[in-house]
Amino acid sequence: MARAAAVTPPVRRSAGVTPGRSEAVLSRLQLLVTRKLDGLLQGDYAGLLPGPGSEAGESREYRPGDDVRRMDWPVTARTTMPHVRRTVADRELETWLAVDLSASLDFGTGQWLKREVVVAAVAALAHLTVRGGNRIGAVVGTGGPPSASRRGMPPAAPVVRRLPARTGRKEAQGLVRAIAGTEIGPGRADLGALVDLLNRPPRRRGVAVVISDFLAPPEQWGRPIRKLRVRHDVLAIEVVDPRELDLPDVGVLPVVDPETGELHEVQTADPRLRRRYAEAAAAQRAAIARELRAAGAAHLRLRTDTDWLLDMVRFVAAQRHARTRGTTR
């Protein structure tokens, strides 16, 4: 039993969400997002990720370190001083979300369930990107329908739901509500196939956001994210619960994996088991971060036991600072 707990971190526990709780959580999230994001991120900002933009802006004098490919030769010739053309981000941005709602997301030991943090991230992203005529859409993946989990029936194929990109705050709120109301089925969504859906059909350059706990093997989703990064700015939001990182000393702990239905009894009083679990979990998270870094995706980790909104604010502020830092942005 110790071997199973050490080899397959993190241990997961099912925690269903009733429609009433989902609606109450969503109302609370909308209030938090509106108050905090508007209060802490005042001023105009071009997007979630740093980038030079695609539309021509004003010229300014060349400074060491500027990209020579942006030289404004007409102004340089007219003033006899080297000038570069600044660019601004495209205001009509299209943002697509790949939202993983596998059964492992129906779990939480902190203030929030992991699926609630996922919905929170979606609400914040919608709030940040819906301005200026921007469009936001999503593909949502979850396990098979609950009816397919009955004894004697083969596992059902993952369910994928596509929500078209639309403009307007009302439409964005409808998207958030649709994702919050998605029923999580048993099993795991195919994260790689879900990310691939953002490449079909080909879309103009924009922002792609992948929200998941990334517990599927990196070789399943790493290549699709690399492919997505060729055309889009990619943000990966990883949702983590503290019990996925270490086990508390609480004696015999019964644990149910919601994706397989397997039940394990783990003796958490064993310090060697807790150490092996923590080491395996740390190695797993390091592999996730390494794969996302190799894919060129920006990486934001949100936890169920911390202020996820403050973490998002810090991330967006850091990206905005990176976009305006120096002379090449």
Side-chain angles (χ1 to χ4, degrees), residues 9-10 12 114 212-216 218 221 238-245 277-293 299 301-302:
R12 292 159 244 160
K114 286 167 64 178
S212 174
D213 54 13
F214 291 96
L215 294 184
W221 47 262
E238 178 190 5
V239 181
V240 181
D241 187 84
R243 293 289 74 83
E244 296 174 333
L245 305 177
Y277 180 91
E279 291 173 352
Q284 181 187 45
R285 296 298 165 180
I288 293 170
R290 187 165 53 249
E291 188 68 30
L292 292 173
R293 185 167 56 250
H299 183 196
R301 179 175 292 172
L302 301 180

PDB file of all heavy atoms in Angstrom, residues 9-10 12 114 212-216 218 221 238-245 277-293 299 301-302:
ATOM      1  N   PRO A   9       1.652   9.770  -6.787  1.00  0.00           N
ATOM      2  CA  PRO A   9       1.202  11.023  -6.206  1.00  0.00           C
ATOM      3  C   PRO A   9       0.577  11.890  -7.277  1.00  0.00           C
ATOM      4  O   PRO A   9       0.917  11.756  -8.453  1.00  0.00           O
ATOM      5  CB  PRO A   9       2.504  11.647  -5.683  1.00  0.00           C
ATOM      6  CG  PRO A   9       3.548  11.158  -6.632  1.00  0.00           C
ATOM      7  CD  PRO A   9       3.104   9.782  -7.016  1.00  0.00           C
ATOM      8  N   PRO A  10      -0.311  12.803  -6.977  1.00  0.00           N
ATOM      9  CA  PRO A  10      -0.852  12.987  -5.648  1.00  0.00           C
ATOM     10  C   PRO A  10      -2.073  12.131  -5.388  1.00  0.00           C
ATOM     11  O   PRO A  10      -2.776  11.768  -6.305  1.00  0.00           O
ATOM     12  CB  PRO A  10      -1.233  14.464  -5.642  1.00  0.00           C
ATOM     13  CG  PRO A  10      -1.599  14.738  -7.051  1.00  0.00           C
ATOM     14  CD  PRO A  10      -0.696  13.874  -7.903  1.00  0.00           C
ATOM     15  N   ARG A  12      -5.820  11.621  -4.425  1.00  0.00           N
ATOM     16  CA  ARG A  12      -6.954  12.500  -4.722  1.00  0.00           C
ATOM     17  C   ARG A  12      -8.206  12.014  -4.015  1.00  0.00           C
ATOM     18  O   ARG A  12      -8.369  10.833  -3.779  1.00  0.00           O
ATOM     19  CB  ARG A  12      -7.201  12.555  -6.238  1.00  0.00           C
ATOM     20  CG  ARG A  12      -6.117  13.253  -6.982  1.00  0.00           C
ATOM     21  CD  ARG A  12      -6.128  12.861  -8.419  1.00  0.00           C
ATOM     22  NE  ARG A  12      -4.876  12.167  -8.709  1.00  0.00           N
ATOM     23  CZ  ARG A  12      -4.704  11.379  -9.730  1.00  0.00           C
ATOM     24  NH1 ARG A  12      -5.673  11.190 -10.581  1.00  0.00           N
ATOM     25  NH2 ARG A  12      -3.570  10.781  -9.927  1.00  0.00           N
ATOM     26  N   LYS A 114     -10.502  22.458  -6.223  1.00  0.00           N
ATOM     27  CA  LYS A 114      -9.696  22.756  -7.401  1.00  0.00           C
ATOM     28  C   LYS A 114     -10.566  23.229  -8.561  1.00  0.00           C
ATOM     29  O   LYS A 114     -10.187  24.135  -9.299  1.00  0.00           O
ATOM     30  CB  LYS A 114      -8.879  21.525  -7.802  1.00  0.00           C
ATOM     31  CG  LYS A 114      -7.710  21.247  -6.880  1.00  0.00           C
ATOM     32  CD  LYS A 114      -7.121  19.868  -7.107  1.00  0.00           C
ATOM     33  CE  LYS A 114      -6.528  19.717  -8.478  1.00  0.00           C
ATOM     34  NZ  LYS A 114      -5.904  18.386  -8.679  1.00  0.00           N
ATOM     35  N   SER A 212      -5.472  23.552 -16.035  1.00  0.00           N
ATOM     36  CA  SER A 212      -5.516  22.136 -15.675  1.00  0.00           C
ATOM     37  C   SER A 212      -4.677  21.911 -14.428  1.00  0.00           C
ATOM     38  O   SER A 212      -3.940  22.810 -13.986  1.00  0.00           O
ATOM     39  CB  SER A 212      -4.973  21.288 -16.840  1.00  0.00           C
ATOM     40  OG  SER A 212      -4.877  19.918 -16.491  1.00  0.00           O
ATOM     41  N   ASP A 213      -4.774  20.715 -13.854  1.00  0.00           N
ATOM     42  CA  ASP A 213      -3.819  20.326 -12.816  1.00  0.00           C
ATOM     43  C   ASP A 213      -2.604  19.630 -13.426  1.00  0.00           C
ATOM     44  O   ASP A 213      -1.660  19.307 -12.715  1.00  0.00           O
ATOM     45  CB  ASP A 213      -4.475  19.448 -11.747  1.00  0.00           C
ATOM     46  CG  ASP A 213      -5.179  18.229 -12.340  1.00  0.00           C
ATOM     47  OD1 ASP A 213      -4.959  17.926 -13.535  1.00  0.00           O
ATOM     48  OD2 ASP A 213      -5.968  17.585 -11.609  1.00  0.00           O
ATOM     49  N   PHE A 214      -2.645  19.365 -14.734  1.00  0.00           N
ATOM     50  CA  PHE A 214      -1.517  18.810 -15.489  1.00  0.00           C
ATOM     51  C   PHE A 214      -1.011  17.490 -14.895  1.00  0.00           C
ATOM     52  O   PHE A 214       0.184  17.207 -14.939  1.00  0.00           O
ATOM     53  CB  PHE A 214      -0.370  19.828 -15.579  1.00  0.00           C
ATOM     54  CG  PHE A 214      -0.687  21.013 -16.433  1.00  0.00           C
ATOM     55  CD1 PHE A 214      -1.157  22.184 -15.858  1.00  0.00           C
ATOM     56  CD2 PHE A 214      -0.540  20.960 -17.802  1.00  0.00           C
ATOM     57  CE1 PHE A 214      -1.465  23.295 -16.640  1.00  0.00           C
ATOM     58  CE2 PHE A 214      -0.849  22.056 -18.605  1.00  0.00           C
ATOM     59  CZ  PHE A 214      -1.306  23.232 -18.020  1.00  0.00           C
ATOM     60  N   LEU A 215      -1.937  16.686 -14.355  1.00  0.00           N
ATOM     61  CA  LEU A 215      -1.545  15.408 -13.789  1.00  0.00           C
ATOM     62  C   LEU A 215      -1.351  14.333 -14.855  1.00  0.00           C
ATOM     63  O   LEU A 215      -0.786  13.280 -14.580  1.00  0.00           O
ATOM     64  CB  LEU A 215      -2.582  14.936 -12.754  1.00  0.00           C
ATOM     65  CG  LEU A 215      -2.694  15.806 -11.503  1.00  0.00           C
ATOM     66  CD1 LEU A 215      -3.672  15.178 -10.520  1.00  0.00           C
ATOM     67  CD2 LEU A 215      -1.343  16.018 -10.849  1.00  0.00           C
ATOM     68  N   ALA A 216      -1.843  14.571 -16.056  1.00  0.00           N
ATOM     69  CA  ALA A 216      -1.580  13.642 -17.153  1.00  0.00           C
ATOM     70  C   ALA A 216      -0.086  13.677 -17.478  1.00  0.00           C
ATOM     71  O   ALA A 216       0.589  14.681 -17.243  1.00  0.00           O
ATOM     72  CB  ALA A 216      -2.404  14.031 -18.380  1.00  0.00           C
ATOM     73  N   PRO A 218       3.408  14.391 -19.017  1.00  0.00           N
ATOM     74  CA  PRO A 218       3.814  15.521 -19.868  1.00  0.00           C
ATOM     75  C   PRO A 218       3.949  15.164 -21.340  1.00  0.00           C
ATOM     76  O   PRO A 218       3.715  16.019 -22.201  1.00  0.00           O
ATOM     77  CB  PRO A 218       5.162  15.950 -19.271  1.00  0.00           C
ATOM     78  CG  PRO A 218       5.086  15.527 -17.842  1.00  0.00           C
ATOM     79  CD  PRO A 218       4.299  14.245 -17.850  1.00  0.00           C
ATOM     80  N   TRP A 221       0.699  16.043 -23.337  1.00  0.00           N
ATOM     81  CA  TRP A 221       0.268  17.403 -23.649  1.00  0.00           C
ATOM     82  C   TRP A 221       1.407  18.350 -24.020  1.00  0.00           C
ATOM     83  O   TRP A 221       1.164  19.469 -24.480  1.00  0.00           O
ATOM     84  CB  TRP A 221      -0.500  18.004 -22.470  1.00  0.00           C
ATOM     85  CG  TRP A 221       0.131  17.822 -21.118  1.00  0.00           C
ATOM     86  CD1 TRP A 221      -0.157  16.872 -20.184  1.00  0.00           C
ATOM     87  CD2 TRP A 221       1.173  18.633 -20.536  1.00  0.00           C
ATOM     88  NE1 TRP A 221       0.634  17.027 -19.066  1.00  0.00           N
ATOM     89  CE2 TRP A 221       1.447  18.108 -19.255  1.00  0.00           C
ATOM     90  CE3 TRP A 221       1.883  19.747 -20.976  1.00  0.00           C
ATOM     91  CZ2 TRP A 221       2.412  18.646 -18.409  1.00  0.00           C
ATOM     92  CZ3 TRP A 221       2.858  20.291 -20.144  1.00  0.00           C
ATOM     93  CH2 TRP A 221       3.107  19.733 -18.871  1.00  0.00           C
ATOM     94  N   GLU A 238      -1.717  26.224 -13.722  1.00  0.00           N
ATOM     95  CA  GLU A 238      -1.679  24.941 -13.016  1.00  0.00           C
ATOM     96  C   GLU A 238      -2.378  25.090 -11.665  1.00  0.00           C
ATOM     97  O   GLU A 238      -2.042  25.978 -10.878  1.00  0.00           O
ATOM     98  CB  GLU A 238      -0.223  24.508 -12.816  1.00  0.00           C
ATOM     99  CG  GLU A 238      -0.044  23.211 -12.055  1.00  0.00           C
ATOM    100  CD  GLU A 238       1.401  22.958 -11.689  1.00  0.00           C
ATOM    101  OE1 GLU A 238       2.256  23.841 -11.953  1.00  0.00           O
ATOM    102  OE2 GLU A 238       1.683  21.891 -11.129  1.00  0.00           O
ATOM    103  N   VAL A 239      -3.349  24.231 -11.402  1.00  0.00           N
ATOM    104  CA  VAL A 239      -4.127  24.288 -10.165  1.00  0.00           C
ATOM    105  C   VAL A 239      -3.655  23.173  -9.234  1.00  0.00           C
ATOM    106  O   VAL A 239      -3.622  22.000  -9.630  1.00  0.00           O
ATOM    107  CB  VAL A 239      -5.629  24.157 -10.448  1.00  0.00           C
ATOM    108  CG1 VAL A 239      -6.427  24.238  -9.154  1.00  0.00           C
ATOM    109  CG2 VAL A 239      -6.087  25.249 -11.411  1.00  0.00           C
ATOM    110  N   VAL A 240      -3.301  23.542  -7.999  1.00  0.00           N
ATOM    111  CA  VAL A 240      -2.665  22.606  -7.070  1.00  0.00           C
ATOM    112  C   VAL A 240      -3.356  22.676  -5.713  1.00  0.00           C
ATOM    113  O   VAL A 240      -3.753  23.752  -5.258  1.00  0.00           O
ATOM    114  CB  VAL A 240      -1.164  22.930  -6.901  1.00  0.00           C
ATOM    115  CG1 VAL A 240      -0.497  21.937  -5.962  1.00  0.00           C
ATOM    116  CG2 VAL A 240      -0.450  22.934  -8.245  1.00  0.00           C
ATOM    117  N   ASP A 241      -3.496  21.522  -5.078  1.00  0.00           N
ATOM    118  CA  ASP A 241      -3.972  21.449  -3.700  1.00  0.00           C
ATOM    119  C   ASP A 241      -2.792  21.058  -2.807  1.00  0.00           C
ATOM    120  O   ASP A 241      -1.942  20.265  -3.225  1.00  0.00           O
ATOM    121  CB  ASP A 241      -5.087  20.409  -3.576  1.00  0.00           C
ATOM    122  CG  ASP A 241      -5.726  20.419  -2.199  1.00  0.00           C
ATOM    123  OD1 ASP A 241      -6.628  21.249  -1.966  1.00  0.00           O
ATOM    124  OD2 ASP A 241      -5.317  19.603  -1.342  1.00  0.00           O
ATOM    125  N   PRO A 242      -2.711  21.589  -1.575  1.00  0.00           N
ATOM    126  CA  PRO A 242      -1.546  21.284  -0.726  1.00  0.00           C
ATOM    127  C   PRO A 242      -1.372  19.804  -0.435  1.00  0.00           C
ATOM    128  O   PRO A 242      -0.253  19.329  -0.258  1.00  0.00           O
ATOM    129  CB  PRO A 242      -1.819  22.084   0.556  1.00  0.00           C
ATOM    130  CG  PRO A 242      -3.277  22.394   0.531  1.00  0.00           C
ATOM    131  CD  PRO A 242      -3.630  22.531  -0.908  1.00  0.00           C
ATOM    132  N   ARG A 243      -2.470  19.037  -0.391  1.00  0.00           N
ATOM    133  CA  ARG A 243      -2.350  17.618  -0.110  1.00  0.00           C
ATOM    134  C   ARG A 243      -1.784  16.839  -1.289  1.00  0.00           C
ATOM    135  O   ARG A 243      -1.485  15.668  -1.174  1.00  0.00           O
ATOM    136  CB  ARG A 243      -3.703  17.043   0.295  1.00  0.00           C
ATOM    137  CG  ARG A 243      -4.244  17.542   1.605  1.00  0.00           C
ATOM    138  CD  ARG A 243      -3.472  16.989   2.826  1.00  0.00           C
ATOM    139  NE  ARG A 243      -2.154  17.588   3.012  1.00  0.00           N
ATOM    140  CZ  ARG A 243      -1.934  18.743   3.617  1.00  0.00           C
ATOM    141  NH1 ARG A 243      -2.938  19.452   4.079  1.00  0.00           N
ATOM    142  NH2 ARG A 243      -0.703  19.204   3.759  1.00  0.00           N
ATOM    143  N   GLU A 244      -1.660  17.493  -2.427  1.00  0.00           N
ATOM    144  CA  GLU A 244      -0.999  16.872  -3.564  1.00  0.00           C
ATOM    145  C   GLU A 244       0.512  17.029  -3.489  1.00  0.00           C
ATOM    146  O   GLU A 244       1.234  16.442  -4.290  1.00  0.00           O
ATOM    147  CB  GLU A 244      -1.525  17.479  -4.874  1.00  0.00           C
ATOM    148  CG  GLU A 244      -2.989  17.195  -5.105  1.00  0.00           C
ATOM    149  CD  GLU A 244      -3.536  17.915  -6.320  1.00  0.00           C
ATOM    150  OE1 GLU A 244      -3.004  18.976  -6.677  1.00  0.00           O
ATOM    151  OE2 GLU A 244      -4.507  17.403  -6.903  1.00  0.00           O
ATOM    152  N   LEU A 245       0.968  17.827  -2.527  1.00  0.00           N
ATOM    153  CA  LEU A 245       2.400  18.070  -2.379  1.00  0.00           C
ATOM    154  C   LEU A 245       2.992  17.344  -1.192  1.00  0.00           C
ATOM    155  O   LEU A 245       4.172  16.981  -1.206  1.00  0.00           O
ATOM    156  CB  LEU A 245       2.661  19.574  -2.257  1.00  0.00           C
ATOM    157  CG  LEU A 245       2.101  20.440  -3.396  1.00  0.00           C
ATOM    158  CD1 LEU A 245       2.351  21.907  -3.121  1.00  0.00           C
ATOM    159  CD2 LEU A 245       2.689  20.024  -4.729  1.00  0.00           C
ATOM    160  N   TYR A 277       6.560  10.271  -0.639  1.00  0.00           N
ATOM    161  CA  TYR A 277       5.433  10.948  -1.310  1.00  0.00           C
ATOM    162  C   TYR A 277       5.800  12.377  -1.681  1.00  0.00           C
ATOM    163  O   TYR A 277       5.571  12.824  -2.812  1.00  0.00           O
ATOM    164  CB  TYR A 277       4.221  10.926  -0.385  1.00  0.00           C
ATOM    165  CG  TYR A 277       2.990  11.597  -0.950  1.00  0.00           C
ATOM    166  CD1 TYR A 277       2.058  10.876  -1.677  1.00  0.00           C
ATOM    167  CD2 TYR A 277       2.763  12.958  -0.754  1.00  0.00           C
ATOM    168  CE1 TYR A 277       0.922  11.488  -2.204  1.00  0.00           C
ATOM    169  CE2 TYR A 277       1.641  13.581  -1.278  1.00  0.00           C
ATOM    170  CZ  TYR A 277       0.722  12.843  -2.000  1.00  0.00           C
ATOM    171  OH  TYR A 277      -0.376  13.443  -2.525  1.00  0.00           O
ATOM    172  N   ALA A 278       6.363  13.121  -0.726  1.00  0.00           N
ATOM    173  CA  ALA A 278       6.733  14.517  -0.979  1.00  0.00           C
ATOM    174  C   ALA A 278       7.792  14.602  -2.073  1.00  0.00           C
ATOM    175  O   ALA A 278       7.742  15.501  -2.935  1.00  0.00           O
ATOM    176  CB  ALA A 278       7.237  15.166   0.313  1.00  0.00           C
ATOM    177  N   GLU A 279       8.768  13.703  -2.060  1.00  0.00           N
ATOM    178  CA  GLU A 279       9.810  13.707  -3.082  1.00  0.00           C
ATOM    179  C   GLU A 279       9.231  13.410  -4.463  1.00  0.00           C
ATOM    180  O   GLU A 279       9.592  14.062  -5.456  1.00  0.00           O
ATOM    181  CB  GLU A 279      10.901  12.696  -2.725  1.00  0.00           C
ATOM    182  CG  GLU A 279      11.735  13.089  -1.504  1.00  0.00           C
ATOM    183  CD  GLU A 279      12.680  11.985  -1.073  1.00  0.00           C
ATOM    184  OE1 GLU A 279      12.558  10.863  -1.643  1.00  0.00           O
ATOM    185  OE2 GLU A 279      13.521  12.222  -0.198  1.00  0.00           O
ATOM    186  N   ALA A 280       8.330  12.408  -4.534  1.00  0.00           N
ATOM    187  CA  ALA A 280       7.722  12.063  -5.819  1.00  0.00           C
ATOM    188  C   ALA A 280       6.841  13.200  -6.323  1.00  0.00           C
ATOM    189  O   ALA A 280       6.825  13.509  -7.522  1.00  0.00           O
ATOM    190  CB  ALA A 280       6.905  10.773  -5.690  1.00  0.00           C
ATOM    191  N   ALA A 281       6.086  13.839  -5.418  1.00  0.00           N
ATOM    192  CA  ALA A 281       5.230  14.955  -5.811  1.00  0.00           C
ATOM    193  C   ALA A 281       6.061  16.131  -6.292  1.00  0.00           C
ATOM    194  O   ALA A 281       5.725  16.794  -7.290  1.00  0.00           O
ATOM    195  CB  ALA A 281       4.342  15.370  -4.641  1.00  0.00           C
ATOM    196  N   ALA A 282       7.186  16.415  -5.602  1.00  0.00           N
ATOM    197  CA  ALA A 282       8.058  17.515  -6.026  1.00  0.00           C
ATOM    198  C   ALA A 282       8.658  17.228  -7.397  1.00  0.00           C
ATOM    199  O   ALA A 282       8.756  18.130  -8.245  1.00  0.00           O
ATOM    200  CB  ALA A 282       9.158  17.731  -4.987  1.00  0.00           C
ATOM    201  N   ALA A 283       9.052  15.984  -7.622  1.00  0.00           N
ATOM    202  CA  ALA A 283       9.603  15.622  -8.929  1.00  0.00           C
ATOM    203  C   ALA A 283       8.548  15.757 -10.022  1.00  0.00           C
ATOM    204  O   ALA A 283       8.847  16.190 -11.144  1.00  0.00           O
ATOM    205  CB  ALA A 283      10.152  14.188  -8.879  1.00  0.00           C
ATOM    206  N   GLN A 284       7.313  15.385  -9.702  1.00  0.00           N
ATOM    207  CA  GLN A 284       6.228  15.508 -10.671  1.00  0.00           C
ATOM    208  C   GLN A 284       5.989  16.969 -11.039  1.00  0.00           C
ATOM    209  O   GLN A 284       5.853  17.313 -12.227  1.00  0.00           O
ATOM    210  CB  GLN A 284       4.954  14.899 -10.090  1.00  0.00           C
ATOM    211  CG  GLN A 284       3.754  14.949 -11.024  1.00  0.00           C
ATOM    212  CD  GLN A 284       2.489  14.493 -10.321  1.00  0.00           C
ATOM    213  OE1 GLN A 284       2.221  14.904  -9.195  1.00  0.00           O
ATOM    214  NE2 GLN A 284       1.723  13.649 -10.986  1.00  0.00           N
ATOM    215  N   ARG A 285       5.932  17.855 -10.062  1.00  0.00           N
ATOM    216  CA  ARG A 285       5.699  19.272 -10.321  1.00  0.00           C
ATOM    217  C   ARG A 285       6.876  19.892 -11.071  1.00  0.00           C
ATOM    218  O   ARG A 285       6.683  20.768 -11.925  1.00  0.00           O
ATOM    219  CB  ARG A 285       5.443  20.011  -9.007  1.00  0.00           C
ATOM    220  CG  ARG A 285       4.187  19.570  -8.299  1.00  0.00           C
ATOM    221  CD  ARG A 285       2.948  19.849  -9.130  1.00  0.00           C
ATOM    222  NE  ARG A 285       1.786  19.124  -8.632  1.00  0.00           N
ATOM    223  CZ  ARG A 285       0.581  19.185  -9.173  1.00  0.00           C
ATOM    224  NH1 ARG A 285       0.381  19.924 -10.246  1.00  0.00           N
ATOM    225  NH2 ARG A 285      -0.414  18.483  -8.671  1.00  0.00           N
ATOM    226  N   ALA A 286       8.085  19.455 -10.751  1.00  0.00           N
ATOM    227  CA  ALA A 286       9.253  19.958 -11.469  1.00  0.00           C
ATOM    228  C   ALA A 286       9.205  19.541 -12.936  1.00  0.00           C
ATOM    229  O   ALA A 286       9.565  20.327 -13.827  1.00  0.00           O
ATOM    230  CB  ALA A 286      10.540  19.454 -10.812  1.00  0.00           C
ATOM    231  N   ALA A 287       8.742  18.312 -13.208  1.00  0.00           N
ATOM    232  CA  ALA A 287       8.629  17.843 -14.595  1.00  0.00           C
ATOM    233  C   ALA A 287       7.584  18.653 -15.351  1.00  0.00           C
ATOM    234  O   ALA A 287       7.763  18.976 -16.534  1.00  0.00           O
ATOM    235  CB  ALA A 287       8.272  16.358 -14.615  1.00  0.00           C
ATOM    236  N   ILE A 288       6.477  19.000 -14.670  1.00  0.00           N
ATOM    237  CA  ILE A 288       5.444  19.831 -15.296  1.00  0.00           C
ATOM    238  C   ILE A 288       6.013  21.207 -15.653  1.00  0.00           C
ATOM    239  O   ILE A 288       5.844  21.697 -16.781  1.00  0.00           O
ATOM    240  CB  ILE A 288       4.233  19.976 -14.359  1.00  0.00           C
ATOM    241  CG1 ILE A 288       3.526  18.628 -14.177  1.00  0.00           C
ATOM    242  CG2 ILE A 288       3.255  21.022 -14.884  1.00  0.00           C
ATOM    243  CD1 ILE A 288       2.469  18.623 -13.091  1.00  0.00           C
ATOM    244  N   ALA A 289       6.704  21.834 -14.691  1.00  0.00           N
ATOM    245  CA  ALA A 289       7.277  23.157 -14.938  1.00  0.00           C
ATOM    246  C   ALA A 289       8.318  23.101 -16.049  1.00  0.00           C
ATOM    247  O   ALA A 289       8.390  24.001 -16.894  1.00  0.00           O
ATOM    248  CB  ALA A 289       7.898  23.701 -13.649  1.00  0.00           C
ATOM    249  N   ARG A 290       9.108  22.037 -16.067  1.00  0.00           N
ATOM    250  CA  ARG A 290      10.151  21.902 -17.087  1.00  0.00           C
ATOM    251  C   ARG A 290       9.538  21.762 -18.480  1.00  0.00           C
ATOM    252  O   ARG A 290      10.008  22.362 -19.454  1.00  0.00           O
ATOM    253  CB  ARG A 290      11.025  20.699 -16.750  1.00  0.00           C
ATOM    254  CG  ARG A 290      12.244  20.528 -17.627  1.00  0.00           C
ATOM    255  CD  ARG A 290      13.240  19.556 -17.011  1.00  0.00           C
ATOM    256  NE  ARG A 290      12.621  18.285 -16.680  1.00  0.00           N
ATOM    257  CZ  ARG A 290      12.416  17.831 -15.432  1.00  0.00           C
ATOM    258  NH1 ARG A 290      12.763  18.570 -14.395  1.00  0.00           N
ATOM    259  NH2 ARG A 290      11.860  16.663 -15.216  1.00  0.00           N
ATOM    260  N   GLU A 291       8.469  20.975 -18.599  1.00  0.00           N
ATOM    261  CA  GLU A 291       7.816  20.773 -19.886  1.00  0.00           C
ATOM    262  C   GLU A 291       7.166  22.063 -20.384  1.00  0.00           C
ATOM    263  O   GLU A 291       7.246  22.391 -21.573  1.00  0.00           O
ATOM    264  CB  GLU A 291       6.766  19.674 -19.765  1.00  0.00           C
ATOM    265  CG  GLU A 291       6.152  19.234 -21.085  1.00  0.00           C
ATOM    266  CD  GLU A 291       7.149  18.517 -21.974  1.00  0.00           C
ATOM    267  OE1 GLU A 291       8.074  17.863 -21.435  1.00  0.00           O
ATOM    268  OE2 GLU A 291       7.002  18.601 -23.211  1.00  0.00           O
ATOM    269  N   LEU A 292       6.534  22.805 -19.479  1.00  0.00           N
ATOM    270  CA  LEU A 292       5.905  24.073 -19.879  1.00  0.00           C
ATOM    271  C   LEU A 292       6.953  25.096 -20.287  1.00  0.00           C
ATOM    272  O   LEU A 292       6.753  25.857 -21.243  1.00  0.00           O
ATOM    273  CB  LEU A 292       5.044  24.614 -18.726  1.00  0.00           C
ATOM    274  CG  LEU A 292       3.793  23.808 -18.390  1.00  0.00           C
ATOM    275  CD1 LEU A 292       3.130  24.358 -17.132  1.00  0.00           C
ATOM    276  CD2 LEU A 292       2.807  23.829 -19.553  1.00  0.00           C
ATOM    277  N   ARG A 293       8.070  25.103 -19.574  1.00  0.00           N
ATOM    278  CA  ARG A 293       9.147  26.038 -19.931  1.00  0.00           C
ATOM    279  C   ARG A 293       9.727  25.676 -21.305  1.00  0.00           C
ATOM    280  O   ARG A 293       9.995  26.566 -22.123  1.00  0.00           O
ATOM    281  CB  ARG A 293      10.232  25.992 -18.857  1.00  0.00           C
ATOM    282  CG  ARG A 293      11.343  26.999 -19.056  1.00  0.00           C
ATOM    283  CD  ARG A 293      12.209  27.122 -17.810  1.00  0.00           C
ATOM    284  NE  ARG A 293      12.752  25.847 -17.398  1.00  0.00           N
ATOM    285  CZ  ARG A 293      12.381  25.183 -16.307  1.00  0.00           C
ATOM    286  NH1 ARG A 293      11.436  25.688 -15.521  1.00  0.00           N
ATOM    287  NH2 ARG A 293      12.927  24.031 -15.980  1.00  0.00           N
ATOM    288  N   HIS A 299       3.841  30.401 -17.162  1.00  0.00           N
ATOM    289  CA  HIS A 299       3.362  29.415 -16.189  1.00  0.00           C
ATOM    290  C   HIS A 299       2.907  30.125 -14.920  1.00  0.00           C
ATOM    291  O   HIS A 299       3.669  30.847 -14.282  1.00  0.00           O
ATOM    292  CB  HIS A 299       4.496  28.428 -15.874  1.00  0.00           C
ATOM    293  CG  HIS A 299       4.100  27.327 -14.942  1.00  0.00           C
ATOM    294  ND1 HIS A 299       5.025  26.543 -14.280  1.00  0.00           N
ATOM    295  CD2 HIS A 299       2.882  26.870 -14.553  1.00  0.00           C
ATOM    296  CE1 HIS A 299       4.395  25.653 -13.533  1.00  0.00           C
ATOM    297  NE2 HIS A 299       3.099  25.844 -13.680  1.00  0.00           N
ATOM    298  N   ARG A 301       0.954  29.219 -11.279  1.00  0.00           N
ATOM    299  CA  ARG A 301       0.467  28.155 -10.385  1.00  0.00           C
ATOM    300  C   ARG A 301      -0.481  28.760  -9.355  1.00  0.00           C
ATOM    301  O   ARG A 301      -0.121  29.702  -8.642  1.00  0.00           O
ATOM    302  CB  ARG A 301       1.633  27.455  -9.697  1.00  0.00           C
ATOM    303  CG  ARG A 301       1.217  26.341  -8.734  1.00  0.00           C
ATOM    304  CD  ARG A 301       2.433  25.619  -8.198  1.00  0.00           C
ATOM    305  NE  ARG A 301       3.104  24.847  -9.246  1.00  0.00           N
ATOM    306  CZ  ARG A 301       4.279  24.244  -9.087  1.00  0.00           C
ATOM    307  NH1 ARG A 301       4.934  24.348  -7.939  1.00  0.00           N
ATOM    308  NH2 ARG A 301       4.813  23.560 -10.084  1.00  0.00           N
ATOM    309  N   LEU A 302      -1.695  28.219  -9.270  1.00  0.00           N
ATOM    310  CA  LEU A 302      -2.689  28.664  -8.298  1.00  0.00           C
ATOM    311  C   LEU A 302      -2.968  27.534  -7.326  1.00  0.00           C
ATOM    312  O   LEU A 302      -3.122  26.377  -7.737  1.00  0.00           O
ATOM    313  CB  LEU A 302      -3.988  29.071  -9.008  1.00  0.00           C
ATOM    314  CG  LEU A 302      -3.885  30.199 -10.042  1.00  0.00           C
ATOM    315  CD1 LEU A 302      -5.253  30.474 -10.661  1.00  0.00           C
ATOM    316  CD2 LEU A 302      -3.311  31.469  -9.432  1.00  0.00           C
TER     317      LEU A 302
END
